[in-house]
């Protein structure tokens, strides 16, 4: 393979800069986190799909979250595990694999927000318009919301990655622990102003629309609860909304940590671990939060445990 072909078809990934001892501990932690996240997310998906009593709009919309989490953690962790067991000078990845990893990593990050946005809408309708809830949240509406959540992620992410793929390359080193959009366009020596502007605009629009929509829906819910004198309704609202809000806060914290650390080059390795946590912590905690908080899912899990025993 000549040097020109090598530089364009195969890339060297920096990976995590850890000592051999730390490498083993990191490997064990990531492997356990990956297995737990996969088992819990697949398990909760099977429970919802198998139990007819869980075929409600809230749970059907929630099903998209485990799917997104499975994509996010699978596109990152197995590759990291392999790199941890590989010499730093031999952590190669093909350019095509790098593009796919970047696409699905950004897809996971985007759908995590859009899915929680449609779930917030579901909670808003259930609490603010309970009598019209069955009419509004029909099967047709669920399909529209689901398609909208994924479509609003696939289209802009495809453009984001497409703008980087169009560039020629003059480098073959990924100065990161995995492939993302900045890693792709930094391989080029061409002008990347369009990439930076679109990437920044995309991020700002996603975060502001996500935060704005969730704040708006919860503000309306709080106003309804204040006006209502029904303690049972208010208690139910707090219970269902607290679960969604906890998941959303965890997502925001895990997302903002690497963004903030990116401004401080001295914390480059800490930023890498922060980026890993974004793909590991939410997939591991989301099934626990919804599984323990939801009475229906909790009863289903207890029933399965009794049948096995």
């Amino acid at each position: 393979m000549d040097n020109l072909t090598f530089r364009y078809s195969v890339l060297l990934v920096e990976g995590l800069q850890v000592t051999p001892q730390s490498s083993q501990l990191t490997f064990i932690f990531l492997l356990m986190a990956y297995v737990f996240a996969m088992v819990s997310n697949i398990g909760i998906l099977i429970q919802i799909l198998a139990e007819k009593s869980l075929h409600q709009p809230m749970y059907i919309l929630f099903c998209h979250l485990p799917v997104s989490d499975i994509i996010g953690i699978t596109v990152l962790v197995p590759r990291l595990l392999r790199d941890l067991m590989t010499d730093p000078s031999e952590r190669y990845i093909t350019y095509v694999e790098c593009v796919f990893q970047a696409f699905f990593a950004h897809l996971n990050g985007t759908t995590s927000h859009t899915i929680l946005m449609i779930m917030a809408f579901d909670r808003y309708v259930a609490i603010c318009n309970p009598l019209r809830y069955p009419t509004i949240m029909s099967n047709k509406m669920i399909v529209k919301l689901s398609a909208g959540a994924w479509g609003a992620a696939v289209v802009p992410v495809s453009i984001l990655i497409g703008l980087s793929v169009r560039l020629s390359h003059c480098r073959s080193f990924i100065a990161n622990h995995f492939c993302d959009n900045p890693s792709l366009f930094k391989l080029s020596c061409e002008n990347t102003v369009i990439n930076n502007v679109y990437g920044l605009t995309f991020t700002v629009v996603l975060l502001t629309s996500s935060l704005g929509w969730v704040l708006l829906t919860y503000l309306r819910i709080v106003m309804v609860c204040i006006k209502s004198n029904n303690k049972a309704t208010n208690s139910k609202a707090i219970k269902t909304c607290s679960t969604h809000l906890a998941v959303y806060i965890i997502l925001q914290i895990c997302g903002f940590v690497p963004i903030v650390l990116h401004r401080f080059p001295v914390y480059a390795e800490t930023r890498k671990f922060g980026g890993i946590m974004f793909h590991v912590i939410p997939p591991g905690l989301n099934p626990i939060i919804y599984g323990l908080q939801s009475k229906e899912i909790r009863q289903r899990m207890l029933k399965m445990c009794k049948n096995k025993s």
Side-chain angles (χ1 to χ4, degrees):
M1 182 183 293
D2 57 88
N3 290 335
L4 183 63
T5 304
F6 175 82
R7 290 180 62 189
Y8 281 82
S9 62
V10 180
L11 309 172
L12 180 64
V13 182
E14 182 181 37
L16 297 173
Q17 304 298 310
V18 294
T19 63
Q21 294 79 8
S22 299
S23 177
Q24 295 177 0
L25 292 175
T26 305
F27 181 91
I28 294 172
F29 169 75
L30 289 178
L31 179 61
M32 292 176 62
Y34 179 69
V35 172
F36 176 79
M38 291 296 291
V39 170
S40 57
N41 279 284
I42 293 175
I44 203 167
L45 271 174
I46 293 175
Q47 286 185 42
I48 294 174
L49 295 174
E51 185 63 38
K52 289 186 178 180
S53 63
L54 297 178
H55 293 178
Q56 304 172 26
M58 180 177 69
Y59 298 114
I60 294 174
L61 294 178
F62 169 73
C63 280
H64 295 286
L65 200 58
V67 173
S68 176
D69 288 340
I70 289 171
I71 291 174
I73 197 170
T74 300
V75 78
L76 177 66
V77 175
R79 179 78 202 188
L80 279 175
L81 292 175
R82 195 184 80 170
D83 286 346
L84 284 170
M85 295 294 103
T86 306
D87 188 271
S89 62
E90 298 179 358
R91 292 172 179 172
Y92 296 118
I93 185 173
T94 66
Y95 179 69
V96 174
E97 289 176 328
C98 189
V99 170
F100 274 101
Q101 187 180 52
F103 174 81
F104 285 108
H106 285 283
L107 181 66
N108 166 242
T110 307
T111 52
S112 295
H113 285 276
T114 56
I115 291 169
L116 286 173
M117 287 171 69
I118 63 173
M119 291 175 67
F121 174 75
D122 171 73
R123 292 298 83 205
Y124 164 74
V125 176
I127 296 170
C128 298
N129 295 283
L131 298 179
R132 296 182 58 203
Y133 181 77
T135 304
I136 297 175
M137 296 303 296
S138 61
N139 292 336
K140 188 176 181 180
M141 175 59 75
I142 293 174
V143 171
K144 287 182 178 180
L145 290 173
S146 302
W150 286 95
V154 171
V155 173
V157 169
S158 297
I159 297 173
L160 182 75
I161 302 300
L163 288 173
S164 297
V165 171
R166 69 185 174 87
L167 300 171
S168 59
H169 306 148
C170 63
R171 304 181 183 91
S172 60
F173 181 68
I174 300 293
N176 201 5
H177 57 301
F178 73 104
C179 293
D180 56 4
N181 184 59
S183 302
L184 287 177
F185 67 70
K186 286 178 182 178
L187 295 173
S188 177
C189 292
E190 294 183 36
N191 191 324
T192 58
V193 173
I194 296 177
N195 299 73
N196 284 302
V197 171
Y198 180 83
L200 180 61
T201 304
F202 170 56
T203 303
V204 171
V205 170
L206 175 65
L207 294 179
T208 53
S209 59
S210 170
L211 189 60
W213 179 256
V214 172
L215 286 176
L216 178 63
T217 53
Y218 274 96
L219 181 61
R220 295 295 299 273
I221 290 172
V222 169
M223 291 174 63
V224 169
C225 291
I226 292 175
K227 294 178 181 179
S228 174
N229 294 321
N230 192 323
K231 292 184 178 180
T233 301
N234 292 347
S235 176
K236 183 179 180 181
I238 293 173
K239 183 179 179 181
T240 56
C241 290
S242 62
T243 304
H244 176 271
L245 192 59
V247 170
Y248 187 77
I249 291 174
I250 291 171
L251 173 69
Q252 291 288 12
I253 293 174
C254 293
F256 274 111
V257 167
I259 293 176
V260 173
L261 292 177
H262 187 73
R263 303 290 178 255
F264 304 94
V266 69
Y267 299 118
E269 288 304 311
T270 306
R271 176 181 59 82
K272 289 180 181 179
F273 281 100
I276 294 173
M277 293 303 100
F278 177 80
H279 293 276
V280 172
I281 292 180
L285 292 182
N286 291 347
I288 296 176
I289 294 172
Y290 269 90
L292 295 177
Q293 186 69 16
S294 172
K295 180 180 178 181
E296 292 83 356
I297 295 178
R298 190 168 64 249
Q299 288 178 342
R300 174 68 179 174
M301 292 175 64
L302 292 173
K303 183 179 179 181
M304 288 178 63
C305 292
K306 288 181 179 179
N307 290 338
K308 288 182 179 180
S309 62

